[in-house]
Amino acid sequence: MKRFQKSAYVTAVETRSKSVLSAGETTLASLVATYDRLFPVTSPSAVEAAFASSLVDPKNVSKISVWHDDASSSVTGHLIELIENVQTLEGWIGLNIPPMEDGNNFGVSVQLQVVKMLEELREVLSKRVDSAVDYYKSRAEATEKLLARSTQTTTSTENKVKSAGGKDGDENKSSESTTVERKSTVSGDIDEHLRLKGVVAIDMKYYAEWKAVLRSATDRYAAVLDQIEKNKEKITKPRGGNPGGAAMSMF
């Protein structure tokens, strides 16, 4: 009987998964460091006041704050990295699931439970990746309503006149005039104040959302790594002595 060998793909998955697991503590430390940098212990009212003060100068209304640019980039980067890590671990455990048999399936149930944790985490992370796009879109719409709106209309008119029988014979004359009309619309004081509050509210909304997302992602990723470490023997050898599916591939 032909002896099954590991495929290059299976070997690559095992190598990547080992790298992800060995870097687990480093990844978590990086997440915590980013969280501490972006979200120091500060009251929500103090954060809101800081965002509002940056908008006192009208020139800053249309600009994204340095903090929001940093936070959206940092949080999105971490989420993308975690999604890739989770997919790697899903693939690795999936390749270790043995053929279906009657009895002795406790190790397989452990594998499936960890895979479920990974799938749920990946789904949550994937939904949150778009939050940066949503922020910039919401911020742009609110800013557009706040700023003065101006329009310019240019109209050109050409008049032609032909006269006959003059001293110098027939004569053609033409004249052209251009009219430029400019309109500017500025919100009233009360309306402008409310719209400014709306911009600050958007900044605060995504401050809170990114804070919760990063904290939740860190906690859930740590829980998954912990479960894998505690059940590594059952994940790699769900039925005892022999490894699962990854060790005996037909590819």
Side-chain angles (χ1 to χ4, degrees):
M1 179 181 292
K2 182 180 178 181
R3 184 171 180 269
F4 295 128
Q5 299 292 330
K6 288 184 181 180
S7 71
Y9 174 76
V10 171
T11 301
V13 170
E14 289 182 341
T15 301
R16 288 198 300 270
S17 64
K18 288 178 181 178
S19 177
V20 168
L21 293 173
S22 64
E25 289 296 328
T26 301
T27 301
L28 291 173
S30 178
L31 288 165
V32 171
T34 298
Y35 183 89
D36 291 342
R37 176 174 61 82
L38 294 176
F39 309 102
V41 181
T42 307
S43 67
S45 59
V47 174
E48 183 176 6
F51 290 157
S53 65
S54 68
L55 301 179
V56 172
D57 185 346
K59 295 180 181 179
N60 292 333
V61 173
S62 60
K63 298 178 181 178
I64 300 297
S65 72
V66 174
W67 185 92
H68 282 84
D69 256 349
D70 181 16
S72 64
S73 176
S74 299
V75 173
T76 301
H78 279 304
L79 295 182
I80 292 174
E81 179 188 11
L82 292 182
I83 290 171
E84 184 175 354
N85 289 352
V86 167
Q87 287 178 316
T88 296
L89 296 175
E90 281 184 272
W92 168 61
I93 296 176
L95 289 170
N96 273 282
I97 296 177
M100 300 301 291
E101 293 180 4
D102 293 331
N104 194 23
N105 287 319
F106 178 71
V108 178
S109 68
V110 172
Q111 290 177 320
L112 296 177
Q113 182 61 34
V114 175
V115 168
K116 182 181 178 182
M117 291 178 65
L118 289 165
E119 289 176 346
E120 292 174 349
L121 176 55
R122 173 171 49 80
E123 290 175 2
V124 170
L125 297 175
S126 297
K127 290 178 181 178
R128 297 300 187 182
V129 167
D130 292 336
S131 65
V133 177
D134 294 338
Y135 167 71
Y136 288 118
K137 180 180 178 181
S138 299
R139 187 59 152 70
E141 291 174 349
T143 301
E144 184 180 14
K145 293 177 181 178
L146 177 64
L147 297 176
R149 298 181 296 279
S150 63
T151 59
Q152 176 175 306
T153 303
T154 302
T155 304
S156 295
T157 304
E158 183 177 7
N159 297 316
K160 293 184 178 181
V161 179
K162 182 177 182 180
S163 60
K167 183 174 65 173
D168 298 323
D170 294 346
E171 186 177 12
N172 293 320
K173 296 181 179 180
S174 65
S175 63
E176 183 176 353
S177 61
T178 301
T179 302
V180 178
E181 182 181 8
R182 295 183 176 88
K183 296 180 180 180
S184 180
T185 303
V186 182
S187 303
D189 291 341
I190 297 178
D191 192 29
E192 182 177 347
H193 173 72
L194 292 177
R195 293 182 188 279
L196 184 61
K197 293 286 286 185
V199 173
V200 175
I202 290 173
D203 287 346
M204 281 299 295
K205 173 188 175 182
Y206 285 90
Y207 170 88
E209 181 173 323
W210 290 334
K211 182 177 183 179
V213 167
L214 194 57
R215 177 64 180 271
S216 176
T218 303
D219 290 345
R220 296 184 68 163
Y221 189 64
V224 166
L225 294 180
D226 182 60
Q227 284 299 308
I228 291 176
E229 180 63 29
K230 289 176 178 177
N231 296 284
K232 199 167 186 178
E233 187 72 15
K234 293 183 178 66
I235 290 173
T236 56
K237 299 178 182 179
R239 292 207 171 102
N242 294 322
M248 298 180 63
S249 172
M250 292 183 290
F251 297 103

